[in-house]
């Protein structure tokens, strides 16, 4: 099932768990980012299983918004905090370069019509870029962040609030 913008906004509430509308727990930056990863993965899977051109275009629009917002909260909040806390000179720059590739494909897909083989190819490559990026974040960056002195609850709250603001701008 695809998350709607309203569902995504509900999920970004303080402490919300993916798919829930409310939660009493404090937010966690890593949980928020992982939930985004899962949501986008589900959107790509849905795209792959969809044949209707109009539905494919709608899914790609949703993917582009979700990825753009996710990248922005990482670049504005998570990456600077991670880099400062861990004195990182490798993972954040690499992730930033990966984001640039993703953003380039998003720019090419936004507003494009899914009527040619290049459209599908771009969506496939975007999916592969995202899978690679997610794997590196979840296997390398997130464990280091968890083991650091970073306040994941405070970061999560800031990221969730920024995500709501950015989603409101993309509606």
């Amino acid at each position: 099932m695809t998350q709607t913008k309203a569902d995504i906004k509900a999920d970004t509430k303080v402490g919300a768990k993916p798919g829930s509308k409310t939660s009493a727990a404090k937010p966690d930056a890593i949980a928020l980012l992982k939930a985004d990863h899962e949501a986008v993965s589900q959107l790509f899977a849905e795209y792959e299983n969809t044949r209707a051109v109009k539905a494919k275009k709608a899914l790609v629009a949703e993917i582009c918004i979700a990825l753009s917002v996710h990248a922005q909260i990482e670049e504005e909040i998570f990456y600077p905090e991670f880099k400062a806390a861990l004195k990182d000179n490798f993972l954040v720059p690499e992730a930033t370069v990966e984001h640039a590739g993703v953003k380039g494909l998003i720019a090419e897909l936004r507003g494009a019509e899914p009527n040619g083989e290049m459209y599908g190819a771009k969506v496939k490559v975007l999916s592969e870029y995202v899978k690679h990026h997610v794997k590196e974040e979840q296997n390398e960056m997130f464990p280091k962040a968890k083991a650091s002195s970073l306040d994941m609850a405070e970061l999560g709250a800031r990221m969730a609030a920024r995500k709501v603001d950015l989603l409101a701008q993309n509606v």
Side-chain angles (χ1 to χ4, degrees):
M1 180 170 117
T2 303
Q3 282 188 312
T4 65
K5 288 177 187 167
D7 293 334
I8 292 168
K9 286 179 185 175
D11 285 352
T12 61
K13 288 183 181 169
V14 175
K17 296 198 179 1
S20 71
K21 300 291 184 223
T22 59
S23 175
K26 288 188 177 185
D28 174 272
I30 302 299
L32 185 144
L33 295 174
K34 283 184 173 182
D36 283 357
H37 292 166
E38 181 58 33
V40 169
S41 176
Q42 288 176 3
L43 289 170
F44 278 120
E46 195 170 331
Y47 174 88
E48 287 297 318
N49 293 321
T50 300
R51 298 292 163 241
V53 173
K54 189 174 179 181
K56 281 185 172 284
K57 186 174 181 177
L59 284 166
V60 169
E62 237 183 298
I63 289 167
C64 289
I65 289 169
L67 288 174
S68 296
V69 168
H70 179 83
Q72 194 163 340
I73 64 171
E74 283 184 331
E75 290 172 5
E76 288 180 2
I77 301 168
F78 187 73
Y79 290 171
E81 295 287 344
F82 179 90
K83 186 173 178 130
L86 284 97
K87 313 273 188 274
D88 173 73
N89 291 315
F90 178 71
L91 291 174
V92 170
E94 182 181 351
T96 303
V97 170
E98 290 171 352
H99 277 193
V102 166
K103 289 176 187 177
L105 283 170
I106 288 170
E108 291 181 38
L109 286 166
R110 281 203 164 143
E113 291 300 321
N115 56 1
E117 62 188 26
M118 292 305 290
Y119 187 89
K122 288 175 184 178
V123 175
K124 180 69 173 171
V125 171
L126 179 60
S127 173
E128 290 170 355
Y129 279 5
V130 169
K131 283 178 189 168
H132 168 81
H133 180 72
V134 165
K135 183 178 177 184
E136 286 187 344
E137 279 189 344
Q138 292 189 174
N139 293 339
E140 296 176 43
M141 189 177 278
F142 293 174
K144 289 181 180 182
K146 283 182 182 178
S148 76
S149 62
L150 287 169
D151 182 342
M152 289 300 154
E154 186 273 333
L155 266 178
R158 286 176 33 215
M159 291 165 56
R162 182 65 175 137
K163 183 176 178 180
V164 169
D165 291 343
L166 292 169
L167 285 169
Q169 293 171 25
N170 280 297
V171 173

